[in-house]
Amino acid sequence: TSQKHREFVGEPMGDKPVTALSGIGETIGSKLKEQGFDKAYVVLGQFLLLKKDPEMFTDWLRDASGANARQAAT
Amino acid sequence: TSQKHREFVGEPMGDKPVTALSGIGETIGSKLKEQGFDKAYVVLGQFLLLKKDPEMFTDWLRDASGANARQAAT
Amino acid sequence: MASLSNKSAEEIGELLDEYGIKHGPVVESTRRLYEKKLKEAMA
């Protein structure tokens, strides 16, 4: 996993911005922020709501932010 | 806090049913399950999506399950 | 005003901002609550 991901999982999520999530760069991050997903914990909320289903979550992320398959999967 | 709550926070949420949440009895639990909130982590997801806003979350819980103010606040 | 349920999530979000209602993303599981909050604010 990327350094970014290790940093992220290494400490409590707290109030980190959505761009702290591995695979979420500025472009995707800004699209998510527009829709209210400004913090990492809000994206986690959506993941939980989707019953932690990776495929559902990836689909949602692509719809919500135009992320491509690889980024979404990360 | 209630014994139920202590048990709940004392260990990882994992796959616990929604009724494991303090203040959620069978009646409220079944209404939440009908709407897909069958696991405690899904309700947590909703709390995060509501930006951890206690008032919004309480309102949502009352709407979703008919819980009264006290139960929802718990 | 066209009923809220016809509006897009984005439009609902803009209305919530307009009425000063603190909110998170307008998604399937939060939309009904936010529409209710808006109706209360508009009443």
Side-chain angles (χ1 to χ4, degrees):
Chain A
T1 58
S2 68
Q3 169 61 24
K4 188 176 180 186
H5 185 66
R6 271 197 302 279
E7 273 162 24
F8 183 77
V9 296
E11 52 192 33
M13 188 181 299
D15 229 25
K16 285 186 176 175
V18 65
T19 43
L21 289 166
S22 166
I24 306 279
E26 280 313 315
T27 318
I28 295 176
S30 58
K31 285 202 186 130
L32 289 175
K33 280 177 194 159
E34 274 164 32
Q35 296 169 66
F37 293 92
D38 55 340
K39 300 285 184 191
Y41 73 77
V42 186
V43 175
L44 170 62
Q46 180 70 354
F47 177 63
L48 295 175
L49 248 292
L50 295 172
K51 310 303 280 288
K52 307 189 218 177
D53 177 318
E55 205 176 311
M56 289 278 277
F57 182 69
T58 304
D59 282 352
W60 165 77
L61 189 57
R62 279 172 32 198
D63 285 353
S65 69
N68 64 38
R70 186 186 53 76
Q71 286 162 313
T74 319
Chain B
T1 56
S2 67
Q3 171 63 22
K4 187 177 179 184
H5 185 65
R6 273 197 299 278
E7 274 161 25
F8 183 78
V9 296
E11 53 192 30
M13 188 182 297
D15 230 25
K16 285 186 176 174
V18 65
T19 43
L21 288 166
S22 168
I24 307 279
E26 281 311 318
T27 319
I28 294 177
S30 57
K31 286 204 184 128
L32 289 175
K33 281 177 193 158
E34 279 162 26
Q35 297 171 66
F37 294 89
D38 55 336
K39 299 286 184 192
Y41 72 76
V42 186
V43 176
L44 170 63
Q46 182 73 350
F47 178 63
L48 295 176
L49 278 174
L50 293 171
K51 305 300 287 278
K52 307 189 214 175
D53 179 320
E55 197 198 324
M56 275 292 182
F57 181 70
T58 305
D59 267 358
W60 166 76
L61 191 56
R62 280 173 30 200
D63 278 1
S65 68
N68 64 38
R70 187 188 51 77
Q71 285 162 311
T74 319
Chain C
M1 167 177 286
S3 93
L4 291 173
S5 49
N6 295 338
K7 291 189 175 302
S8 70
E10 200 173 333
E11 286 166 329
I12 295 283
E14 283 158 11
L15 278 170
L16 287 164
D17 292 337
E18 212 176 293
Y19 280 88
I21 299 169
K22 186 173 167 277
H23 65 90
V26 180
V27 292
E28 191 188 334
S29 66
T30 61
R31 184 177 176 122
R32 194 174 76 181
L33 174 70
Y34 288 140
E35 285 186 14
K36 175 179 162 265
K37 287 286 182 184
L38 274 173
K39 283 181 187 132
E40 286 166 6
M42 291 171 174

